[in-house]
Amino acid sequence: MRDNAGLPAKPLSPMTDRYAVIGNPIAHSKSPLIHGLFAQATGQDLEYTAIEGPLDGFADAVRAFIAAGGRGMNVTLPFKLQAFEIATDPMESARLAGAVNALKFEGDRVLAQNFDGLGLVNDIQRNLGMPLKGKRVLICGAGGATRGAILPIAQQNPALLAVANRSADKAHQLRTDFAAHTTLQTGGYAELAGERFDVVINATSTGLSQDALPLPEGVFAPGALAYELVYGKGLTPFLKQARAAGVAQLVDGVGMLVEQAAEAFEWWRGVRPDTRPVIQRLTVPLV
Ligand code: ATR
């Protein structure tokens, strides 16, 4: 465990509510800083730490935290699926994503949410000023990040929501899984030839691996937004591709990170923190 990163340590009273982020590795997590800033700005008396969960002992680590008075947790890699398994009350966001990024403990109940997709939508619409209604939206990738983003985006009524993936079968599977909720256009990257999108989101892990995606030319419509979910990696291959295609609005996932945290904070505390100063503080220039 470590203290709220970057913030002066403050004495804990017996009344101080305890929260934490759990992951492995966890040293890189910005969540203690973000929630510490939220608590400071809203005057909430809480402690928020980072816990490195043992790879073979996630559930025990959560139970120990609850026994020590923990009120809620954020969950990051590699525990998002295991968190779903220990939830007694998975909310719709968690059920559809099949993964969890926030837990709330109430007596014996473990309530679970996935705020990643909502954080993404809030960042695009509120912070970047791009309403998704009527837009043509493309998500690249068909893993957990995409699964979490589909419903919150679909709920904004885009003109089209497409999911492209290296293995097209995995994208088609998402169309089947979400059929009761929305209609997805799914396929491989080559099938995007001749199509244009107003919002293109990279939800693959290529932001970390530095591989480029085989996006056909012309996939970015004039005035398009290119959104890289990975945060703090500068110009990833995807953002470079977008820039080379003339896209002016290039962003990474810092806004999504802070917005999903704000959703969790409000869920736990009933108070909505102002995200803008925190996003500003965490933004790393895209160079
Ligand atoms: P996450 O939970 O972060 O979404 P994931 O479930 O492991 O991670 O999914 C990773 C995604 O990145 C997948 O869509 C994967 O494509 P495949 O399903 O075809 O494997 C995609 N991905 C990873 N490396 C890639 C690459 N070099 N080119 C294209 N897509 C890649």
Side-chain angles (χ1 to χ4, degrees), residues 140-268:
C140 303
T146 298
R147 213 168 249 284
I150 287 173
L151 198 66
I153 292 176
Q155 283 168 340
Q156 307 309 314
N157 295 315
L160 172 72
L161 179 52
V163 175
N165 197 46
R166 179 172 57 182
S167 39
D169 283 355
K170 222 163 128 186
H172 295 322
Q173 184 62 48
L174 290 178
R175 186 174 60 202
T176 307
D177 292 351
F178 282 86
H181 301 274
T182 188
T183 306
L184 296 174
Q185 174 187 305
T186 53
Y189 293 108
E191 291 159 60
L192 298 171
E195 292 203 65
R196 285 171 171 229
F197 295 89
D198 307 300
V199 178
V200 182
I201 298 162
N202 183 23
T204 73
S205 46
T206 58
L208 299 169
S209 68
Q210 296 297 315
D211 295 325
L213 292 175
L215 290 173
E217 224 166 284
V219 85
F220 296 98
L225 165 69
Y227 199 113
E228 170 70 76
L229 287 201
V230 164
Y231 146 71
K233 299 290 173 199
L235 278 177
T236 60
F238 167 74
L239 291 176
K240 283 184 187 152
Q241 274 172 293
R243 188 178 61 173
V247 175
Q249 219 179 354
L250 308 171
V251 293
D252 75 1
V254 64
M256 172 183 174
L257 176 73
V258 176
E259 290 296 336
Q260 65 75 29
E263 292 298 323
F265 193 90
E266 187 175 8
W267 188 46
W268 292 327

